[in-house]
């Protein structure tokens, strides 16, 4: 599961989302995740992208949440993470249900 640091970042971005600052939250999540990817901190990037995508989707921000979800899928591949039926089902249900 996500570390305390990742949880803090997601909580800060959740505040921005609740204030209607969707674009800012989306961009900050993307930049931070890209830094984790560059340093090959796969689990941190995955946790951040998953939490961020979920928060944006729940706020009705399909384009932003979808963008982070697509980035998440890319990171899963780059990180060599095995994505089985369970993980795919979970991701799909989150994107569809939001």
């Amino acid at each position: 599961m996500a570390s305390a640091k990742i949880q803090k970042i997601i909580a800060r971005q959740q505040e921005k989302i609740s204030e209607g600052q969707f674009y800012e939250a989306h961009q900050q999540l993307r930049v931070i995740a890209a830094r984790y990817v560059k340093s090959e901190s796969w689990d941190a990037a995955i946790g951040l992208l998953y939490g961020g995508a979920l928060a944006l989707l729940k706020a009705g921000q399909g384009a932003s949440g979808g963008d982070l979800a697509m980035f998440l899928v890319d990171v899963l591949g780059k990180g060599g993470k095995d994505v089985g039926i369970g993980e795919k089902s979970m991701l799909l249900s989150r994107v569809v249900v939001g």
Side-chain angles (χ1 to χ4, degrees):
M1 300 324 171
S3 73
K5 184 176 181 179
I6 299 300
Q7 291 294 345
K8 275 184 160 179
I9 293 169
I10 293 170
R12 266 187 262 133
Q13 299 311 315
Q14 182 63 50
E15 286 178 31
K16 290 187 186 317
I17 291 167
S18 66
E19 294 168 356
Q21 298 177 17
F22 307 116
Y23 180 78
E24 184 175 345
H26 176 202
Q27 292 305 310
Q28 286 182 0
L29 286 163
R30 204 169 217 305
V31 167
I32 296 166
R35 289 178 186 156
Y36 282 127
V37 168
K38 187 173 182 175
S39 67
E40 297 184 0
S41 299
W42 306 116
D43 290 337
I46 290 165
L48 184 66
L49 290 167
Y50 178 78
L54 188 57
L56 285 162
L57 289 168
K58 284 183 177 178
Q61 298 299 304
S64 294
D67 176 63
L68 293 183
M70 293 300 294
F71 192 6
L72 172 60
V73 170
D74 184 47
V75 170
L76 287 166
K78 285 181 180 177
K81 298 291 182 179
D82 249 353
V83 183
I85 296 293
E87 290 84 0
K88 288 177 183 175
S89 175
M90 177 191 67
L91 286 171
L92 183 58
S93 70
R94 296 296 185 190
V95 171
V96 172
V97 175

